[in-house]
Amino acid sequence: MARVIVVTSGKGGVGKTTTSAAIAMGLAKRGHKTAVIDFDVGLRNLDLIMGCERRVVYDFVNVINEEATLNQALIRDKNCNLLYILPASQTRDKDALSQEGVGRVLEELKKDFKYIVCDSPAGIEKGAHLAMYFADDAFVVTNPEVSSVRDSDRMLGILSSKSRRAEQNEEPINEFLLLTRYSPERVKLGEMLSVEDVQDILSLHLLGVIPESKSVLNASNSGTPVILDEKSDAGQAYADIVARYLGEDRPHRFIDDKKGFFRNLFGGK
Amino acid sequence: MSLLDYFKTSKVSTASLAKERLQILVAHERSSKNQPSYLPKLQKELLAVIQKYVNVSQDAISVSFEQDDDQETLELNITLPDSQVKGI
């Protein structure tokens, strides 16, 4: 059975697109045929993060309006032949996505793909609503920071009341917490909310913590999902997250401060 | 804890402040989220009706909505001033 995953947060800039690109690549690398869809109509960016911006011909809205077939619009990833990208349209028409149209495209994708990752736009407007509406699983991307945690909580409320599963009284969406841009050193100094703090507030199952890492910007600069940077901490953290999502038991590696003794001795920052 | 931290003057960490603020805020927002959308209007109209007969102030009336597993309770609370009935 195909599964639809929404990567959502409410707040912008917390790492939704980085996460969507990484986990879609991770799932495909693990041998599952995966599609990743950009729902941010008007402000598409997934294509840039995936490094396929110059290969976009048709987009999601073209498929919904039947101006192109799904196969024409899907872009096969250059690094992994089990991964396909469906870019968002750059139209300024806010109503370009319709619930009926999105549902139709997802149904068609489900016939051929194991995982469909929906990269939600920020906010709680139509694009964000449609990205989560058909989801089976939700990855709630949160930064250890007050506005992000609050917006995540708001998003959880929407997932549990406004989704298709909620409306049709089906099993609720499985919700997972992904804490990104985490600095164990700052948590230790009492300057940042800890994993436990965020979990206390949101009561969500923790899928993984992504440490604040230079590799994320390097990856987006070059248009390769950070999970392919296997030496980087963020890349490894995303690989763990994909493994945990697939049911493997992996210890959390990036929650504690691993800095050397001497650095700690002098309160290294 | 580093040696330098040990000498720093102890003060409330900003992280614990953040957590406390969030816990209060999130609890409040969750409780108001499930309220029916007609509640503010209902409160306003009820107040108008009551003010026709009794001289009550804006905050003398409170409407709250609670939801348990199997029942919903709409609670209406009006604080009347000491014997100021206008006469019907």
Side-chain angles (χ1 to χ4, degrees):
Chain A
M1 263 298 276
R3 286 202 78 80
V4 178
I5 303 169
V6 62
V7 177
T8 186
S9 69
K11 190 177 180 304
V14 297
K16 282 182 298 297
T17 302
T18 300
T19 298
S20 300
I23 60 155
M25 178 62 79
L27 289 165
K29 280 277 185 191
R30 297 286 303 256
H32 304 289
K33 194 169 180 189
T34 302
V36 56
I37 309 177
D38 191 347
F39 274 78
D40 205 346
V41 169
L43 291 168
R44 80 166 165 232
N45 275 318
L46 180 70
D47 53 339
L48 261 180
I49 301 300
M50 301 291 304
C52 64
E53 69 277 10
R54 290 168 57 169
R55 291 196 286 149
V56 176
V57 181
Y58 295 109
D59 58 51
F60 195 11
V61 171
N62 292 139
V63 179
I64 286 174
N65 295 339
E66 294 176 338
E67 295 150 4
T69 66
L70 195 48
N71 281 331
Q72 284 177 307
L74 283 171
I75 303 169
R76 182 190 277 203
D77 186 79
K78 60 189 175 195
N79 293 298
C80 182
N81 59 13
L82 286 176
L83 178 59
Y84 290 79
I85 299 121
L86 185 56
S89 157
Q90 283 291 47
T91 172
R92 286 161 69 188
D93 175 12
K94 277 196 301 180
D95 298 319
L97 295 181
S98 64
Q99 184 160 305
E100 182 273 329
V102 171
R104 189 157 31 84
V105 173
L106 287 177
E107 279 311 311
E108 205 179 331
L109 284 168
K110 278 181 172 182
K111 290 179 199 154
D112 200 24
F113 288 88
K114 180 75 211 300
Y115 293 105
I116 300 151
V117 178
C118 302
D119 180 20
S120 173
I124 49 176
E125 297 293 311
K126 196 168 185 184
H129 175 83
L130 289 174
M132 67 89 205
Y133 187 75
F134 297 97
D136 301 306
D137 303 311
F139 289 9
V140 181
V141 182
T142 308
N143 288 171
E145 181 266 321
V146 284
S147 49
S148 176
V149 175
R150 180 200 210 169
D151 289 359
S152 291
D153 188 68
R154 189 105 166 76
M155 211 50 186
L156 289 171
I158 293 171
L159 288 170
S160 64
S161 61
K162 302 273 163 63
S163 62
R164 184 189 59 86
R165 281 175 176 267
E167 283 181 3
Q168 300 185 357
N169 273 322
E170 290 180 26
E171 285 251 309
I173 295 175
N174 292 314
E175 300 158 343
F176 303 100
L177 174 65
L178 265 77
L179 202 56
T180 55
R181 309 201 66 165
Y182 196 69
S183 290
E185 309 93 82
R186 301 201 71 184
V187 171
K188 211 167 160 188
L189 291 170
E191 294 176 354
M192 183 181 271
L193 289 165
S194 69
V195 181
E196 294 80 31
D197 291 340
V198 178
Q199 273 185 289
D200 277 355
I201 296 159
L202 297 179
S203 337
L204 267 184
H205 178 77
L206 178 72
L207 204 54
V209 172
I210 312 297
E212 174 77 56
S213 168
K214 290 177 179 173
S215 55
V216 173
L217 183 57
N218 281 325
S220 74
N221 285 342
S222 59
T224 39
V226 70
I227 198 169
L228 292 176
D229 185 355
E230 289 166 14
K231 290 199 179 73
S232 70
D233 46 1
Q236 291 172 10
Y238 275 118
D240 284 355
I241 281 171
V242 170
R244 282 189 205 108
Y245 175 69
L246 293 173
E248 285 175 34
D249 197 15
R250 294 252 180 128
H252 289 277
R253 294 191 274 173
F254 302 99
I255 293 179
D256 295 319
D257 189 5
K258 291 252 174 56
K259 289 278 156 56
F261 171 75
F262 284 103
R263 210 159 159 197
N264 277 336
L265 194 65
F266 298 107
K269 280 179 197 167
Chain B
M1 187 63 94
S2 79
L3 276 181
L4 286 186
D5 287 351
Y6 186 76
F7 295 112
K8 280 177 193 162
T9 47
S10 65
K11 53 179 180 190
V12 181
S13 76
T14 57
S16 55
L17 257 174
K19 184 178 184 184
E20 205 184 300
R21 290 173 62 214
L22 273 170
Q23 277 173 326
I24 296 166
L25 181 70
V26 163
H28 176 75
E29 288 185 340
R30 280 182 194 160
S31 69
S32 57
K33 187 180 66 193
N34 296 324
Q35 289 190 346
S37 56
Y38 59 73
L39 226 54
K41 194 156 179 249
L42 175 71
Q43 179 160 353
K44 211 173 132 198
E45 287 179 15
L46 279 172
L47 184 70
V49 172
I50 292 161
Q51 277 177 334
K52 267 165 84 174
Y53 304 98
V54 190
N55 187 16
V56 292
S57 65
Q58 194 82 29
D59 49 5
I61 178 169
S62 79
V63 182
S64 73
F65 182 85
E66 271 172 40
Q67 204 165 20
D68 291 329
D69 291 335
D70 53 349
Q71 61 173 1
E72 294 169 346
T73 319
L74 184 64
E75 190 186 287
L76 178 63
N77 221 318
I78 307 160
T79 316
L80 291 178
D82 304 330
S83 57
Q84 274 195 348
V85 184
K86 276 180 186 169
I88 299 165

